[in-house]
Amino acid sequence: AQTVTQSQPEMSVQEAETVTLSCTYDTSESNYYLFWYKQPPSRQMILVIRQEAYKQQNATENRFSVNFQKAAKSFSLKISDSQLGDTAMYFCAFMGSGGTSYGKLTFGQGTILTVHP
Amino acid sequence: DAMVIQNPRYQVTQFGKPVTLSCSQTLNHNVMYWYQQKSSQAPKLLFHYYDKDFNNEADTPDNFQSRRPNTSFCFLDIRSPGLGDAAMYLCATSRGRGLSYEQYFGPGTRLTVT
């Protein structure tokens, strides 16, 4: 079974600064996707960024980028120029390509990020 | 805007009293998911529908059931809620089931059991 671990329950950052959220995972599959989801207080969870395991290039979406280290099974999220609206719970998630994990998201425990003015 | 809607946002029920949570979507997606998210924990998949095909997770208690009468609506029924069932219940949809299909989440229903 796949596991996703986020070792930072809470993080804080000053507005306009950069912050990195950590995520590690364990799987025996060779093809999979990794995701970062953002869940603002009392609002729905939205996809921030995703990475396909076969792509060596790290994904980037505006101020959000990932550092994908496949051999180390590490998938960190970097948020540049942090904004107050980035305050949220961030979940790292795994989706496998085969067996019981096909098409299903396995989430980490989440990291609460607070951006301070 | 196309979206995933969950009603009610907050639900209070009594111990053992059946409760139904509702999810609707305007995205015309084929797949609908139900997740349970307990306080400070990761969302956990309960089951999903691929069209009319129901897929239950192996560790989902029998107390939890689901219905999907049409493409747009999906319901979560808790037959006899216990105190341990208090949680946020998230509905999500995706166009297909596979690696390239993004899941779109609703705002969730927070269930309190008294």
Side-chain angles (χ1 to χ4, degrees):
Chain A
Q2 283 66 229
T3 59
V4 179
T5 303
Q6 294 177 248
S7 58
Q8 304 154 316
E10 294 186 42
M11 295 277 287
S12 64
V13 64
Q14 292 297 125
E15 199 173 7
E17 297 293 309
T18 296
V19 64
T20 298
L21 308 184
S22 301
C23 173
T24 58
Y25 60 95
D26 189 27
T27 184
S28 58
E29 297 189 35
S30 59
N31 190 23
Y32 48 88
Y33 269 56
L34 295 162
F35 305 84
W36 279 98
Y37 277 88
K38 170 185 177 181
Q39 187 177 38
S42 302
R43 295 178 60 188
Q44 62 255 53
M45 189 144 47
I46 59 172
L47 178 65
V48 174
I49 197 166
R50 62 179 162 187
Q51 174 81 41
E52 185 177 358
Y54 269 115
K55 291 187 177 179
Q56 293 187 345
Q57 186 173 4
N58 289 324
T60 299
E61 289 286 343
N62 301 314
R63 297 183 295 109
F64 299 88
S65 61
V66 299
N67 184 4
F68 174 48
Q69 301 290 328
K70 190 173 183 179
K73 295 182 181 174
S74 170
F75 182 61
S76 62
L77 174 70
K78 185 172 82 171
I79 306 174
S80 303
D81 186 24
S82 297
Q83 300 176 0
L84 296 179
D86 295 334
T87 293
M89 172 82 89
Y90 286 81
F91 288 99
C92 178
F94 172 99
M95 181 184 289
S97 60
T100 58
S101 69
Y102 178 70
K104 300 177 186 178
L105 286 170
T106 300
F107 287 91
Q109 297 292 93
T111 297
I112 299 172
L113 175 67
T114 303
V115 180
H116 297 285
Chain B
D1 288 342
M3 55 197 301
V4 182
I5 303 160
Q6 290 189 245
N7 287 307
R9 294 291 307 276
Y10 300 90
Q11 176 73 58
V12 180
T13 190
Q14 293 178 339
F15 182 94
K17 184 175 181 180
V19 65
T20 295
L21 309 182
S22 170
C23 177
S24 64
Q25 52 126 345
T26 61
L27 296 158
N28 202 31
H29 282 174
N30 295 314
V31 191
M32 295 187 78
Y33 306 83
W34 280 104
Y35 292 86
Q36 179 192 62
Q37 185 182 14
K38 295 188 176 180
S39 181
S40 302
Q41 295 186 23
K44 178 179 176 297
L45 182 64
L46 296 173
F47 27 59
H48 73 279
Y49 273 94
Y50 183 74
D51 289 332
K52 296 181 180 181
D53 182 28
F54 178 70
N55 298 269
N56 198 29
E57 293 301 297
D59 55 355
T60 298
D62 293 339
N63 198 26
F64 291 84
Q65 305 285 322
S66 186
R67 298 171 282 133
R68 188 179 186 186
N70 53 54
T71 299
S72 300
F73 284 87
C74 193
F75 300 99
L76 170 62
D77 300 309
I78 309 177
R79 292 191 299 186
S80 181
L83 298 179
D85 296 328
M88 177 76 85
Y89 290 88
L90 302 173
C91 176
T93 73
S94 65
R95 188 162 54 86
R97 187 174 53 189
L99 290 181
S100 62
Y101 295 105
E102 179 180 346
Q103 291 189 22
Y104 294 81
F105 286 81
T109 294
R110 183 167 296 282
L111 178 68
T112 301
V113 182
T114 60

